[in-house]
Amino acid sequence: MKKWMIGTIACAGLILTACGEESEPQSQESEAPQVVEAEIVIPEDIQVQEASKLQVEISQGGEAVEDANEVMFEIWNDVKGEESEQHEAEHIGEGVYEIDYTFEEDSIYSLQTHITARDMHVMPKKQFTVGEVTEEQMQTAEENAESQKSSHMESEDGDHSGHDH
C-alpha cells in the first residue's frame, strides 16, 4: 500500500512539475516583440491650395520609433476615384514622420501610410475632408472608397482582377 501511495505522490509531483514547465514557454512568448503602432495626424482645417503637414506617429511598446526603414504616404481623392500618389515621408523626430502636401480641390481624400519598421509592416488608413464638400460628394466618396479599398487590397496581392466590386 505504501508503494502505491508513494507512486501516486511521485506521479502527482511529475504532473505538477510538467504544468510548471508548460507555463515557462508562455512567459517567453510574452517577450515577443510588441506590435509597431501608427497614428495618422491630419490638421482639422485643411484649405485648398495651401501646403498642409500630414504626419504619422510611430511607436512600439510606448516608445517612439526613430529607425523606421520606410514610411510612405499614399493619397487619393475618394470623390474622383483616381489613382493614388505616393510620397516618402521625412523623419522629424520623436517617432513623427511627415510630408507637406497641397490639395488642389475641395473633396474627400484618403491617406494610407505604408510603414516598414523593426521587421513589421503596418498600413493605417484615414479618410478626411479638404475644404467644403457637398452631400453628393460624400455619397460618391463612400461608394468609391469601397471599390478602391478592394482595388488597393488586390494590388497588394498582385491580383488585378475584379475591380467592379
Side-chain angles (χ1 to χ4, degrees):
M1 182 85 153
K2 282 185 179 180
K3 289 182 183 179
W4 179 80
M5 284 179 58
I6 292 171
T8 303
I9 292 171
C11 283
L14 285 174
I15 291 171
L16 289 174
T17 304
C19 288
E21 288 174 355
E22 284 177 19
S23 65
E24 196 172 311
Q26 290 174 352
S27 65
Q28 288 175 349
E29 285 176 20
S30 66
E31 293 172 19
Q34 293 182 332
V35 176
V36 170
E37 297 178 349
E39 182 181 343
I40 296 172
V41 180
I42 296 173
E44 283 185 36
D45 187 27
I46 299 175
Q47 297 301 315
V48 175
Q49 302 297 330
E50 290 181 15
S52 298
K53 291 193 182 305
L54 307 177
Q55 299 179 329
V56 63
E57 297 173 355
I58 307 171
S59 63
Q60 183 180 38
E63 302 282 324
V65 172
E66 303 291 330
D67 58 351
N69 299 59
E70 180 181 52
V71 180
M72 295 293 291
F73 282 50
E74 182 178 11
I75 302 167
W76 63 92
N77 184 326
D78 281 325
V79 175
K80 287 188 168 182
E82 59 192 19
E83 289 295 312
S84 63
E85 295 179 23
Q86 291 196 18
H87 303 274
E88 189 167 348
E90 177 185 348
H91 181 230
I92 62 168
E94 298 181 24
V96 177
Y97 297 76
E98 77 175 14
I99 65 168
D100 285 324
Y101 191 82
T102 302
F103 294 91
E104 301 297 324
E105 60 187 296
D106 294 348
S107 193
I108 299 169
Y109 293 86
S110 283
L111 167 62
Q112 184 165 27
T113 57
H114 300 269
I115 300 160
T116 304
R118 301 179 180 175
D119 296 326
M120 295 183 199
H121 188 76
V122 293
M123 304 184 321
K125 179 181 168 186
K126 191 171 201 173
Q127 189 178 57
F128 57 97
T129 302
V130 173
E132 300 294 321
V133 296
T134 65
E135 281 292 324
E136 184 180 339
Q137 284 176 307
M138 284 190 237
Q139 186 174 353
T140 302
E142 189 175 318
E143 292 166 5
N144 286 343
E146 283 305 309
S147 65
Q148 282 204 323
K149 183 191 313 180
S150 43
S151 296
H152 288 281
M153 299 287 254
E154 289 165 358
S155 65
E156 290 287 323
D157 297 336
D159 176 14
H160 298 285
S161 62
H163 285 262
D164 331 327
H165 295 290

